[in-house]
Amino acid sequence: MRKVRVVVIGSGPAGLTAALYTARAQLSTVVITGMQLGGQIATTHEVDNFPGFPEGVLGPDLADKMQKQAERFGAEMVYDLVTEVDFTAGSPFTVKTQNETFLADSVIVTIGASPRRLWVPGETEFTGRGVSWCATCDGFFFRGKDIVVAGGGDSALQEAIFLTKFANTVTVIHRRDTLRASTALQARAFANEKIRFVYDTVIEAIKGEDNMVNAVSLKHLKTGEVRDFKTDGVFIFIGYDPNSEVFGGQIDTDAAGYVMVNNRMQTNVEGVFAGGEIHDDIFRQAITAAGEGCAAALMAINWLGEREGNGLLQTIEATLEPA
Ligand code: NAP
């Protein structure tokens, strides 16, 4: 068992920002990264709206810079998955990963959300064989191919635009006749001659031959018509679900599983803070996640300071002093 001051669960913009602040406040900090260091931003091709990058920045590069900045102040990345926590006895809290057990004075939960599945026949069978949730990772394999994208939100259009770098055509299949994506992204997608739209339609099944996708079965929701549509690949961008199951009900969530916090980013467990997409189902931007990670870290620093008699202001000031 390893004793640390702060365990940050998750390594997206919220987690890496939280770790930057707690490590810089001289608190030993371990970040349990999960499967994807950098979280969702690391699987996003281009990020146009993170301040400080006037020309935009590649998602993996942004994640890499955030990691290095947290490490510069001593945060340690642990490439592992949290399997279990015990928050019942209060601080110090037990956080178990597949390989290690940590005892932490404070925990910051930034475990984020995972991409939703369609839950249709063929989806699991053809995962990695034409079905993907990551355009950045898999787009390259679809050079000159015809592919479909499921979804009508910002992710679907942003990634559809990216996929046109490789694919011959990208057909966006959306279940309504109005897109959810921002008007700016819609304008870019409409102007891209490789992108087509099929509205009021859902994918009912993913089909294939020789272990590769070759068609989707589409159902028109207004007419009920079902037809096969030839495609070489299916990219799914239909939103995300919060990863709160690992807490086994020890921290309060809303009905959808989003962790609830007070205005000090504190969960119902004193000393356990949360920020980013595990808590925020409204803004869901890399910059808002980073902001919430910062706020959760400042509150964790405060909480530890108050508890240990260091005084709230002194502790905060220590984090704000130039390095
Ligand atoms: P989202 O905004 O929740 O959109 C999900 C899309 O998938 C919606 O069009 C939804 O249809 C559709 N959908 C959901 N479940 C479905 C199902 N079972 N079958 C078929 N379609 C389904 O998710 P997102 O696009 O991943 O975006 C998540 C958040 O990140 C948003 O807040 C977004 O603004 C943000 N984001 C921002 C940017 C950017 O600023 N550049 C880029 C990416 C993401 P309905 O429209 O009918 O609900």
PDB file of all heavy atoms in Angstrom, residues 147-152 157 170-179 190 195-203 216-221 225 227-230:
ATOM      1  N   ILE A 147     -17.580   5.496 -45.925  1.00  0.00           N
ATOM      2  CA  ILE A 147     -17.877   5.166 -44.525  1.00  0.00           C
ATOM      3  C   ILE A 147     -19.115   5.922 -44.039  1.00  0.00           C
ATOM      4  O   ILE A 147     -19.539   6.898 -44.666  1.00  0.00           O
ATOM      5  CB  ILE A 147     -16.676   5.487 -43.595  1.00  0.00           C
ATOM      6  CG1 ILE A 147     -16.270   6.957 -43.718  1.00  0.00           C
ATOM      7  CG2 ILE A 147     -15.508   4.591 -43.905  1.00  0.00           C
ATOM      8  CD1 ILE A 147     -15.090   7.331 -42.829  1.00  0.00           C
ATOM      9  N   VAL A 148     -19.673   5.450 -42.930  1.00  0.00           N
ATOM     10  CA  VAL A 148     -20.787   6.173 -42.309  1.00  0.00           C
ATOM     11  C   VAL A 148     -20.376   6.620 -40.915  1.00  0.00           C
ATOM     12  O   VAL A 148     -19.523   6.009 -40.266  1.00  0.00           O
ATOM     13  CB  VAL A 148     -22.091   5.318 -42.228  1.00  0.00           C
ATOM     14  CG1 VAL A 148     -22.555   4.884 -43.603  1.00  0.00           C
ATOM     15  CG2 VAL A 148     -21.933   4.144 -41.284  1.00  0.00           C
ATOM     16  N   VAL A 149     -21.020   7.718 -40.491  1.00  0.00           N
ATOM     17  CA  VAL A 149     -20.855   8.229 -39.131  1.00  0.00           C
ATOM     18  C   VAL A 149     -22.233   8.253 -38.500  1.00  0.00           C
ATOM     19  O   VAL A 149     -23.182   8.768 -39.104  1.00  0.00           O
ATOM     20  CB  VAL A 149     -20.255   9.660 -39.167  1.00  0.00           C
ATOM     21  CG1 VAL A 149     -20.486  10.387 -37.860  1.00  0.00           C
ATOM     22  CG2 VAL A 149     -18.767   9.606 -39.484  1.00  0.00           C
ATOM     23  N   ALA A 150     -22.358   7.689 -37.307  1.00  0.00           N
ATOM     24  CA  ALA A 150     -23.645   7.730 -36.592  1.00  0.00           C
ATOM     25  C   ALA A 150     -23.620   8.903 -35.631  1.00  0.00           C
ATOM     26  O   ALA A 150     -22.645   9.078 -34.890  1.00  0.00           O
ATOM     27  CB  ALA A 150     -23.866   6.427 -35.833  1.00  0.00           C
ATOM     28  N   GLY A 151     -24.699   9.715 -35.626  1.00  0.00           N
ATOM     29  CA  GLY A 151     -24.800  10.847 -34.689  1.00  0.00           C
ATOM     30  C   GLY A 151     -25.039  12.158 -35.420  1.00  0.00           C
ATOM     31  O   GLY A 151     -24.794  12.252 -36.629  1.00  0.00           O
ATOM     32  N   GLY A 152     -25.491  13.145 -34.653  1.00  0.00           N
ATOM     33  CA  GLY A 152     -25.787  14.440 -35.266  1.00  0.00           C
ATOM     34  C   GLY A 152     -25.276  15.600 -34.417  1.00  0.00           C
ATOM     35  O   GLY A 152     -25.652  16.747 -34.632  1.00  0.00           O
ATOM     36  N   LEU A 157     -20.069  15.605 -36.388  1.00  0.00           N
ATOM     37  CA  LEU A 157     -19.698  16.449 -37.529  1.00  0.00           C
ATOM     38  C   LEU A 157     -18.211  16.754 -37.541  1.00  0.00           C
ATOM     39  O   LEU A 157     -17.571  16.732 -38.595  1.00  0.00           O
ATOM     40  CB  LEU A 157     -20.517  17.748 -37.535  1.00  0.00           C
ATOM     41  CG  LEU A 157     -22.014  17.588 -37.797  1.00  0.00           C
ATOM     42  CD1 LEU A 157     -22.582  18.855 -38.419  1.00  0.00           C
ATOM     43  CD2 LEU A 157     -22.324  16.413 -38.707  1.00  0.00           C
ATOM     44  N   VAL A 170     -18.288  10.286 -46.760  1.00  0.00           N
ATOM     45  CA  VAL A 170     -18.680  10.098 -45.361  1.00  0.00           C
ATOM     46  C   VAL A 170     -20.172  10.418 -45.263  1.00  0.00           C
ATOM     47  O   VAL A 170     -20.585  11.543 -45.529  1.00  0.00           O
ATOM     48  CB  VAL A 170     -17.892  11.036 -44.415  1.00  0.00           C
ATOM     49  CG1 VAL A 170     -18.352  10.850 -42.969  1.00  0.00           C
ATOM     50  CG2 VAL A 170     -16.393  10.800 -44.527  1.00  0.00           C
ATOM     51  N   THR A 171     -20.963   9.409 -44.915  1.00  0.00           N
ATOM     52  CA  THR A 171     -22.410   9.630 -44.822  1.00  0.00           C
ATOM     53  C   THR A 171     -22.801   9.689 -43.347  1.00  0.00           C
ATOM     54  O   THR A 171     -22.580   8.727 -42.601  1.00  0.00           O
ATOM     55  CB  THR A 171     -23.175   8.487 -45.532  1.00  0.00           C
ATOM     56  OG1 THR A 171     -22.717   8.428 -46.886  1.00  0.00           O
ATOM     57  CG2 THR A 171     -24.679   8.739 -45.504  1.00  0.00           C
ATOM     58  N   VAL A 172     -23.344  10.818 -42.950  1.00  0.00           N
ATOM     59  CA  VAL A 172     -23.758  11.006 -41.553  1.00  0.00           C
ATOM     60  C   VAL A 172     -25.198  10.514 -41.413  1.00  0.00           C
ATOM     61  O   VAL A 172     -26.097  11.001 -42.115  1.00  0.00           O
ATOM     62  CB  VAL A 172     -23.661  12.498 -41.155  1.00  0.00           C
ATOM     63  CG1 VAL A 172     -24.182  12.704 -39.727  1.00  0.00           C
ATOM     64  CG2 VAL A 172     -22.221  12.988 -41.284  1.00  0.00           C
ATOM     65  N   ILE A 173     -25.383   9.549 -40.516  1.00  0.00           N
ATOM     66  CA  ILE A 173     -26.723   8.993 -40.289  1.00  0.00           C
ATOM     67  C   ILE A 173     -27.242   9.590 -38.978  1.00  0.00           C
ATOM     68  O   ILE A 173     -26.673   9.331 -37.912  1.00  0.00           O
ATOM     69  CB  ILE A 173     -26.673   7.445 -40.120  1.00  0.00           C
ATOM     70  CG1 ILE A 173     -25.766   6.788 -41.159  1.00  0.00           C
ATOM     71  CG2 ILE A 173     -28.064   6.848 -40.055  1.00  0.00           C
ATOM     72  CD1 ILE A 173     -26.350   6.569 -42.493  1.00  0.00           C
ATOM     73  N   HIS A 174     -28.311  10.355 -39.070  1.00  0.00           N
ATOM     74  CA  HIS A 174     -28.829  11.023 -37.871  1.00  0.00           C
ATOM     75  C   HIS A 174     -30.291  10.653 -37.650  1.00  0.00           C
ATOM     76  O   HIS A 174     -31.065  10.585 -38.603  1.00  0.00           O
ATOM     77  CB  HIS A 174     -28.672  12.537 -38.025  1.00  0.00           C
ATOM     78  CG  HIS A 174     -29.142  13.309 -36.836  1.00  0.00           C
ATOM     79  ND1 HIS A 174     -28.931  12.876 -35.535  1.00  0.00           N
ATOM     80  CD2 HIS A 174     -29.835  14.480 -36.739  1.00  0.00           C
ATOM     81  CE1 HIS A 174     -29.464  13.760 -34.698  1.00  0.00           C
ATOM     82  NE2 HIS A 174     -30.024  14.732 -35.406  1.00  0.00           N
ATOM     83  N   ARG A 175     -30.656  10.465 -36.384  1.00  0.00           N
ATOM     84  CA  ARG A 175     -31.993   9.937 -36.099  1.00  0.00           C
ATOM     85  C   ARG A 175     -33.117  10.971 -36.213  1.00  0.00           C
ATOM     86  O   ARG A 175     -34.286  10.608 -36.171  1.00  0.00           O
ATOM     87  CB  ARG A 175     -32.022   9.290 -34.724  1.00  0.00           C
ATOM     88  CG  ARG A 175     -31.775  10.243 -33.574  1.00  0.00           C
ATOM     89  CD  ARG A 175     -31.756   9.496 -32.253  1.00  0.00           C
ATOM     90  NE  ARG A 175     -31.439  10.370 -31.143  1.00  0.00           N
ATOM     91  CZ  ARG A 175     -31.296   9.951 -29.897  1.00  0.00           C
ATOM     92  NH1 ARG A 175     -31.423   8.669 -29.610  1.00  0.00           N
ATOM     93  NH2 ARG A 175     -31.014  10.797 -28.938  1.00  0.00           N
ATOM     94  N   ARG A 176     -32.744  12.264 -36.301  1.00  0.00           N
ATOM     95  CA  ARG A 176     -33.782  13.295 -36.462  1.00  0.00           C
ATOM     96  C   ARG A 176     -33.552  14.044 -37.775  1.00  0.00           C
ATOM     97  O   ARG A 176     -32.590  13.758 -38.496  1.00  0.00           O
ATOM     98  CB  ARG A 176     -33.712  14.288 -35.294  1.00  0.00           C
ATOM     99  CG  ARG A 176     -34.124  13.688 -33.978  1.00  0.00           C
ATOM    100  CD  ARG A 176     -34.172  14.716 -32.872  1.00  0.00           C
ATOM    101  NE  ARG A 176     -32.870  15.295 -32.603  1.00  0.00           N
ATOM    102  CZ  ARG A 176     -32.619  16.600 -32.570  1.00  0.00           C
ATOM    103  NH1 ARG A 176     -33.584  17.468 -32.840  1.00  0.00           N
ATOM    104  NH2 ARG A 176     -31.412  17.063 -32.286  1.00  0.00           N
ATOM    105  N   ASP A 177     -34.404  15.060 -38.035  1.00  0.00           N
ATOM    106  CA  ASP A 177     -34.191  15.836 -39.271  1.00  0.00           C
ATOM    107  C   ASP A 177     -33.475  17.153 -38.987  1.00  0.00           C
ATOM    108  O   ASP A 177     -33.299  17.977 -39.872  1.00  0.00           O
ATOM    109  CB  ASP A 177     -35.508  16.072 -40.031  1.00  0.00           C
ATOM    110  CG  ASP A 177     -36.517  16.845 -39.211  1.00  0.00           C
ATOM    111  OD1 ASP A 177     -36.193  17.243 -38.070  1.00  0.00           O
ATOM    112  OD2 ASP A 177     -37.643  17.052 -39.695  1.00  0.00           O
ATOM    113  N   THR A 178     -33.079  17.361 -37.703  1.00  0.00           N
ATOM    114  CA  THR A 178     -32.325  18.564 -37.337  1.00  0.00           C
ATOM    115  C   THR A 178     -31.060  18.115 -36.617  1.00  0.00           C
ATOM    116  O   THR A 178     -31.129  17.285 -35.704  1.00  0.00           O
ATOM    117  CB  THR A 178     -33.137  19.417 -36.328  1.00  0.00           C
ATOM    118  OG1 THR A 178     -34.488  19.414 -36.728  1.00  0.00           O
ATOM    119  CG2 THR A 178     -32.619  20.823 -36.257  1.00  0.00           C
ATOM    120  N   LEU A 179     -29.940  18.705 -37.012  1.00  0.00           N
ATOM    121  CA  LEU A 179     -28.681  18.338 -36.347  1.00  0.00           C
ATOM    122  C   LEU A 179     -28.576  19.049 -34.999  1.00  0.00           C
ATOM    123  O   LEU A 179     -29.086  20.154 -34.828  1.00  0.00           O
ATOM    124  CB  LEU A 179     -27.508  18.746 -37.244  1.00  0.00           C
ATOM    125  CG  LEU A 179     -27.407  17.981 -38.567  1.00  0.00           C
ATOM    126  CD1 LEU A 179     -26.441  18.695 -39.506  1.00  0.00           C
ATOM    127  CD2 LEU A 179     -26.962  16.540 -38.328  1.00  0.00           C
ATOM    128  N   PHE A 190     -21.628  21.047 -44.274  1.00  0.00           N
ATOM    129  CA  PHE A 190     -22.453  21.210 -45.487  1.00  0.00           C
ATOM    130  C   PHE A 190     -21.588  21.627 -46.678  1.00  0.00           C
ATOM    131  O   PHE A 190     -21.881  21.293 -47.814  1.00  0.00           O
ATOM    132  CB  PHE A 190     -23.565  22.249 -45.265  1.00  0.00           C
ATOM    133  CG  PHE A 190     -24.617  21.810 -44.269  1.00  0.00           C
ATOM    134  CD1 PHE A 190     -25.306  22.752 -43.495  1.00  0.00           C
ATOM    135  CD2 PHE A 190     -24.933  20.468 -44.091  1.00  0.00           C
ATOM    136  CE1 PHE A 190     -26.266  22.351 -42.575  1.00  0.00           C
ATOM    137  CE2 PHE A 190     -25.900  20.060 -43.172  1.00  0.00           C
ATOM    138  CZ  PHE A 190     -26.561  21.007 -42.410  1.00  0.00           C
ATOM    139  N   ILE A 195     -19.171  14.943 -47.736  1.00  0.00           N
ATOM    140  CA  ILE A 195     -20.102  14.567 -46.657  1.00  0.00           C
ATOM    141  C   ILE A 195     -21.546  14.593 -47.152  1.00  0.00           C
ATOM    142  O   ILE A 195     -21.994  15.549 -47.785  1.00  0.00           O
ATOM    143  CB  ILE A 195     -19.936  15.512 -45.443  1.00  0.00           C
ATOM    144  CG1 ILE A 195     -18.510  15.416 -44.906  1.00  0.00           C
ATOM    145  CG2 ILE A 195     -20.943  15.170 -44.339  1.00  0.00           C
ATOM    146  CD1 ILE A 195     -18.231  16.277 -43.683  1.00  0.00           C
ATOM    147  N   ARG A 196     -22.263  13.499 -46.867  1.00  0.00           N
ATOM    148  CA  ARG A 196     -23.698  13.421 -47.186  1.00  0.00           C
ATOM    149  C   ARG A 196     -24.464  13.197 -45.890  1.00  0.00           C
ATOM    150  O   ARG A 196     -23.894  12.713 -44.919  1.00  0.00           O
ATOM    151  CB  ARG A 196     -23.986  12.215 -48.095  1.00  0.00           C
ATOM    152  CG  ARG A 196     -23.464  12.389 -49.507  1.00  0.00           C
ATOM    153  CD  ARG A 196     -22.426  11.346 -49.817  1.00  0.00           C
ATOM    154  NE  ARG A 196     -21.587  11.790 -50.932  1.00  0.00           N
ATOM    155  CZ  ARG A 196     -21.454  11.120 -52.066  1.00  0.00           C
ATOM    156  NH1 ARG A 196     -22.093   9.979 -52.225  1.00  0.00           N
ATOM    157  NH2 ARG A 196     -20.684  11.580 -53.008  1.00  0.00           N
ATOM    158  N   PHE A 197     -25.734  13.473 -45.910  1.00  0.00           N
ATOM    159  CA  PHE A 197     -26.565  13.318 -44.706  1.00  0.00           C
ATOM    160  C   PHE A 197     -27.768  12.432 -44.994  1.00  0.00           C
ATOM    161  O   PHE A 197     -28.417  12.570 -46.034  1.00  0.00           O
ATOM    162  CB  PHE A 197     -27.047  14.694 -44.212  1.00  0.00           C
ATOM    163  CG  PHE A 197     -25.940  15.528 -43.633  1.00  0.00           C
ATOM    164  CD1 PHE A 197     -25.174  16.347 -44.455  1.00  0.00           C
ATOM    165  CD2 PHE A 197     -25.628  15.455 -42.282  1.00  0.00           C
ATOM    166  CE1 PHE A 197     -24.130  17.100 -43.941  1.00  0.00           C
ATOM    167  CE2 PHE A 197     -24.586  16.206 -41.759  1.00  0.00           C
ATOM    168  CZ  PHE A 197     -23.841  17.030 -42.589  1.00  0.00           C
ATOM    169  N   VAL A 198     -28.047  11.546 -44.062  1.00  0.00           N
ATOM    170  CA  VAL A 198     -29.278  10.746 -44.117  1.00  0.00           C
ATOM    171  C   VAL A 198     -30.005  11.015 -42.807  1.00  0.00           C
ATOM    172  O   VAL A 198     -29.481  10.715 -41.723  1.00  0.00           O
ATOM    173  CB  VAL A 198     -28.961   9.238 -44.270  1.00  0.00           C
ATOM    174  CG1 VAL A 198     -30.238   8.411 -44.190  1.00  0.00           C
ATOM    175  CG2 VAL A 198     -28.231   8.964 -45.570  1.00  0.00           C
ATOM    176  N   TYR A 199     -31.172  11.626 -42.890  1.00  0.00           N
ATOM    177  CA  TYR A 199     -31.902  12.059 -41.689  1.00  0.00           C
ATOM    178  C   TYR A 199     -33.001  11.060 -41.294  1.00  0.00           C
ATOM    179  O   TYR A 199     -33.387  10.187 -42.072  1.00  0.00           O
ATOM    180  CB  TYR A 199     -32.533  13.432 -41.931  1.00  0.00           C
ATOM    181  CG  TYR A 199     -31.516  14.534 -42.104  1.00  0.00           C
ATOM    182  CD1 TYR A 199     -31.301  15.112 -43.369  1.00  0.00           C
ATOM    183  CD2 TYR A 199     -30.771  15.001 -41.031  1.00  0.00           C
ATOM    184  CE1 TYR A 199     -30.366  16.136 -43.534  1.00  0.00           C
ATOM    185  CE2 TYR A 199     -29.843  16.030 -41.194  1.00  0.00           C
ATOM    186  CZ  TYR A 199     -29.645  16.583 -42.446  1.00  0.00           C
ATOM    187  OH  TYR A 199     -28.713  17.592 -42.611  1.00  0.00           O
ATOM    188  N   ASP A 200     -33.511  11.258 -40.096  1.00  0.00           N
ATOM    189  CA  ASP A 200     -34.636  10.458 -39.568  1.00  0.00           C
ATOM    190  C   ASP A 200     -34.361   8.961 -39.657  1.00  0.00           C
ATOM    191  O   ASP A 200     -35.279   8.166 -39.863  1.00  0.00           O
ATOM    192  CB  ASP A 200     -35.928  10.778 -40.346  1.00  0.00           C
ATOM    193  CG  ASP A 200     -36.365  12.215 -40.130  1.00  0.00           C
ATOM    194  OD1 ASP A 200     -36.323  12.685 -38.979  1.00  0.00           O
ATOM    195  OD2 ASP A 200     -36.737  12.874 -41.121  1.00  0.00           O
ATOM    196  N   THR A 201     -33.101   8.614 -39.502  1.00  0.00           N
ATOM    197  CA  THR A 201     -32.715   7.229 -39.782  1.00  0.00           C
ATOM    198  C   THR A 201     -31.774   6.703 -38.693  1.00  0.00           C
ATOM    199  O   THR A 201     -30.924   7.444 -38.205  1.00  0.00           O
ATOM    200  CB  THR A 201     -32.006   7.174 -41.163  1.00  0.00           C
ATOM    201  OG1 THR A 201     -32.953   7.567 -42.149  1.00  0.00           O
ATOM    202  CG2 THR A 201     -31.476   5.788 -41.476  1.00  0.00           C
ATOM    203  N   VAL A 202     -31.955   5.428 -38.337  1.00  0.00           N
ATOM    204  CA  VAL A 202     -31.029   4.801 -37.384  1.00  0.00           C
ATOM    205  C   VAL A 202     -30.385   3.562 -38.010  1.00  0.00           C
ATOM    206  O   VAL A 202     -30.953   2.966 -38.936  1.00  0.00           O
ATOM    207  CB  VAL A 202     -31.742   4.386 -36.063  1.00  0.00           C
ATOM    208  CG1 VAL A 202     -32.143   5.609 -35.251  1.00  0.00           C
ATOM    209  CG2 VAL A 202     -32.921   3.467 -36.318  1.00  0.00           C
ATOM    210  N   ILE A 203     -29.222   3.226 -37.464  1.00  0.00           N
ATOM    211  CA  ILE A 203     -28.557   1.988 -37.875  1.00  0.00           C
ATOM    212  C   ILE A 203     -29.150   0.867 -37.026  1.00  0.00           C
ATOM    213  O   ILE A 203     -29.089   0.925 -35.797  1.00  0.00           O
ATOM    214  CB  ILE A 203     -27.034   2.097 -37.651  1.00  0.00           C
ATOM    215  CG1 ILE A 203     -26.456   3.179 -38.562  1.00  0.00           C
ATOM    216  CG2 ILE A 203     -26.347   0.749 -37.878  1.00  0.00           C
ATOM    217  CD1 ILE A 203     -24.981   3.499 -38.308  1.00  0.00           C
ATOM    218  N   VAL A 216     -24.553  -1.451 -43.604  1.00  0.00           N
ATOM    219  CA  VAL A 216     -25.373  -1.258 -42.397  1.00  0.00           C
ATOM    220  C   VAL A 216     -26.832  -1.402 -42.823  1.00  0.00           C
ATOM    221  O   VAL A 216     -27.182  -1.083 -43.968  1.00  0.00           O
ATOM    222  CB  VAL A 216     -25.165   0.132 -41.746  1.00  0.00           C
ATOM    223  CG1 VAL A 216     -23.894   0.184 -40.947  1.00  0.00           C
ATOM    224  CG2 VAL A 216     -25.213   1.259 -42.767  1.00  0.00           C
ATOM    225  N   SER A 217     -27.624  -1.876 -41.895  1.00  0.00           N
ATOM    226  CA  SER A 217     -29.060  -1.934 -42.149  1.00  0.00           C
ATOM    227  C   SER A 217     -29.660  -0.661 -41.564  1.00  0.00           C
ATOM    228  O   SER A 217     -29.493  -0.374 -40.372  1.00  0.00           O
ATOM    229  CB  SER A 217     -29.625  -3.189 -41.476  1.00  0.00           C
ATOM    230  OG  SER A 217     -31.017  -3.134 -41.514  1.00  0.00           O
ATOM    231  N   LEU A 218     -30.312   0.129 -42.390  1.00  0.00           N
ATOM    232  CA  LEU A 218     -30.851   1.421 -41.960  1.00  0.00           C
ATOM    233  C   LEU A 218     -32.368   1.361 -41.872  1.00  0.00           C
ATOM    234  O   LEU A 218     -33.028   0.784 -42.744  1.00  0.00           O
ATOM    235  CB  LEU A 218     -30.474   2.517 -42.967  1.00  0.00           C
ATOM    236  CG  LEU A 218     -28.987   2.798 -43.158  1.00  0.00           C
ATOM    237  CD1 LEU A 218     -28.795   3.952 -44.131  1.00  0.00           C
ATOM    238  CD2 LEU A 218     -28.306   3.104 -41.830  1.00  0.00           C
ATOM    239  N   LYS A 219     -32.917   2.009 -40.819  1.00  0.00           N
ATOM    240  CA  LYS A 219     -34.368   2.092 -40.708  1.00  0.00           C
ATOM    241  C   LYS A 219     -34.778   3.565 -40.709  1.00  0.00           C
ATOM    242  O   LYS A 219     -34.288   4.349 -39.889  1.00  0.00           O
ATOM    243  CB  LYS A 219     -34.839   1.430 -39.425  1.00  0.00           C
ATOM    244  CG  LYS A 219     -36.348   1.493 -39.287  1.00  0.00           C
ATOM    245  CD  LYS A 219     -36.816   0.703 -38.088  1.00  0.00           C
ATOM    246  CE  LYS A 219     -38.339   0.681 -38.071  1.00  0.00           C
ATOM    247  NZ  LYS A 219     -38.858  -0.008 -36.922  1.00  0.00           N
ATOM    248  N   HIS A 220     -35.658   3.914 -41.631  1.00  0.00           N
ATOM    249  CA  HIS A 220     -36.202   5.278 -41.660  1.00  0.00           C
ATOM    250  C   HIS A 220     -37.309   5.353 -40.614  1.00  0.00           C
ATOM    251  O   HIS A 220     -38.282   4.588 -40.662  1.00  0.00           O
ATOM    252  CB  HIS A 220     -36.737   5.614 -43.055  1.00  0.00           C
ATOM    253  CG  HIS A 220     -36.993   7.072 -43.241  1.00  0.00           C
ATOM    254  ND1 HIS A 220     -38.123   7.700 -42.758  1.00  0.00           N
ATOM    255  CD2 HIS A 220     -36.234   8.031 -43.825  1.00  0.00           C
ATOM    256  CE1 HIS A 220     -38.055   8.989 -43.055  1.00  0.00           C
ATOM    257  NE2 HIS A 220     -36.927   9.219 -43.698  1.00  0.00           N
ATOM    258  N   LEU A 221     -37.139   6.272 -39.645  1.00  0.00           N
ATOM    259  CA  LEU A 221     -38.050   6.260 -38.490  1.00  0.00           C
ATOM    260  C   LEU A 221     -39.444   6.798 -38.834  1.00  0.00           C
ATOM    261  O   LEU A 221     -40.402   6.506 -38.131  1.00  0.00           O
ATOM    262  CB  LEU A 221     -37.441   7.071 -37.342  1.00  0.00           C
ATOM    263  CG  LEU A 221     -36.173   6.467 -36.740  1.00  0.00           C
ATOM    264  CD1 LEU A 221     -35.591   7.379 -35.677  1.00  0.00           C
ATOM    265  CD2 LEU A 221     -36.431   5.079 -36.163  1.00  0.00           C
ATOM    266  N   GLU A 225     -39.293   2.252 -43.421  1.00  0.00           N
ATOM    267  CA  GLU A 225     -38.560   1.513 -44.464  1.00  0.00           C
ATOM    268  C   GLU A 225     -37.207   1.028 -43.921  1.00  0.00           C
ATOM    269  O   GLU A 225     -36.494   1.778 -43.260  1.00  0.00           O
ATOM    270  CB  GLU A 225     -38.328   2.439 -45.673  1.00  0.00           C
ATOM    271  CG  GLU A 225     -37.634   1.741 -46.832  1.00  0.00           C
ATOM    272  CD  GLU A 225     -36.862   2.715 -47.742  1.00  0.00           C
ATOM    273  OE1 GLU A 225     -36.933   3.947 -47.527  1.00  0.00           O
ATOM    274  OE2 GLU A 225     -36.169   2.223 -48.646  1.00  0.00           O
ATOM    275  N   ARG A 227     -33.528  -0.688 -45.167  1.00  0.00           N
ATOM    276  CA  ARG A 227     -32.728  -0.986 -46.364  1.00  0.00           C
ATOM    277  C   ARG A 227     -31.288  -1.204 -45.975  1.00  0.00           C
ATOM    278  O   ARG A 227     -30.828  -0.721 -44.923  1.00  0.00           O
ATOM    279  CB  ARG A 227     -32.826   0.144 -47.384  1.00  0.00           C
ATOM    280  CG  ARG A 227     -32.232   1.442 -46.855  1.00  0.00           C
ATOM    281  CD  ARG A 227     -32.316   2.569 -47.870  1.00  0.00           C
ATOM    282  NE  ARG A 227     -32.024   3.850 -47.240  1.00  0.00           N
ATOM    283  CZ  ARG A 227     -31.057   4.680 -47.603  1.00  0.00           C
ATOM    284  NH1 ARG A 227     -30.273   4.389 -48.622  1.00  0.00           N
ATOM    285  NH2 ARG A 227     -30.867   5.823 -46.973  1.00  0.00           N
ATOM    286  N   ASP A 228     -30.568  -1.917 -46.832  1.00  0.00           N
ATOM    287  CA  ASP A 228     -29.135  -2.080 -46.628  1.00  0.00           C
ATOM    288  C   ASP A 228     -28.397  -0.946 -47.331  1.00  0.00           C
ATOM    289  O   ASP A 228     -28.809  -0.500 -48.405  1.00  0.00           O
ATOM    290  CB  ASP A 228     -28.661  -3.427 -47.189  1.00  0.00           C
ATOM    291  CG  ASP A 228     -28.801  -4.529 -46.142  1.00  0.00           C
ATOM    292  OD1 ASP A 228     -29.304  -4.233 -45.036  1.00  0.00           O
ATOM    293  OD2 ASP A 228     -28.425  -5.674 -46.432  1.00  0.00           O
ATOM    294  N   PHE A 229     -27.336  -0.471 -46.701  1.00  0.00           N
ATOM    295  CA  PHE A 229     -26.538   0.627 -47.249  1.00  0.00           C
ATOM    296  C   PHE A 229     -25.088   0.163 -47.213  1.00  0.00           C
ATOM    297  O   PHE A 229     -24.559  -0.171 -46.155  1.00  0.00           O
ATOM    298  CB  PHE A 229     -26.756   1.862 -46.360  1.00  0.00           C
ATOM    299  CG  PHE A 229     -26.083   3.105 -46.845  1.00  0.00           C
ATOM    300  CD1 PHE A 229     -26.721   3.955 -47.745  1.00  0.00           C
ATOM    301  CD2 PHE A 229     -24.812   3.452 -46.396  1.00  0.00           C
ATOM    302  CE1 PHE A 229     -26.099   5.122 -48.195  1.00  0.00           C
ATOM    303  CE2 PHE A 229     -24.186   4.613 -46.844  1.00  0.00           C
ATOM    304  CZ  PHE A 229     -24.831   5.447 -47.750  1.00  0.00           C
ATOM    305  N   LYS A 230     -24.463   0.130 -48.375  1.00  0.00           N
ATOM    306  CA  LYS A 230     -23.082  -0.381 -48.456  1.00  0.00           C
ATOM    307  C   LYS A 230     -22.112   0.593 -47.772  1.00  0.00           C
ATOM    308  O   LYS A 230     -22.187   1.800 -48.009  1.00  0.00           O
ATOM    309  CB  LYS A 230     -22.670  -0.509 -49.919  1.00  0.00           C
ATOM    310  CG  LYS A 230     -23.143  -1.785 -50.550  1.00  0.00           C
ATOM    311  CD  LYS A 230     -22.528  -1.915 -51.931  1.00  0.00           C
ATOM    312  CE  LYS A 230     -23.041  -3.106 -52.598  1.00  0.00           C
ATOM    313  NZ  LYS A 230     -22.584  -4.255 -52.779  1.00  0.00           N
TER     314      LYS A 230
END
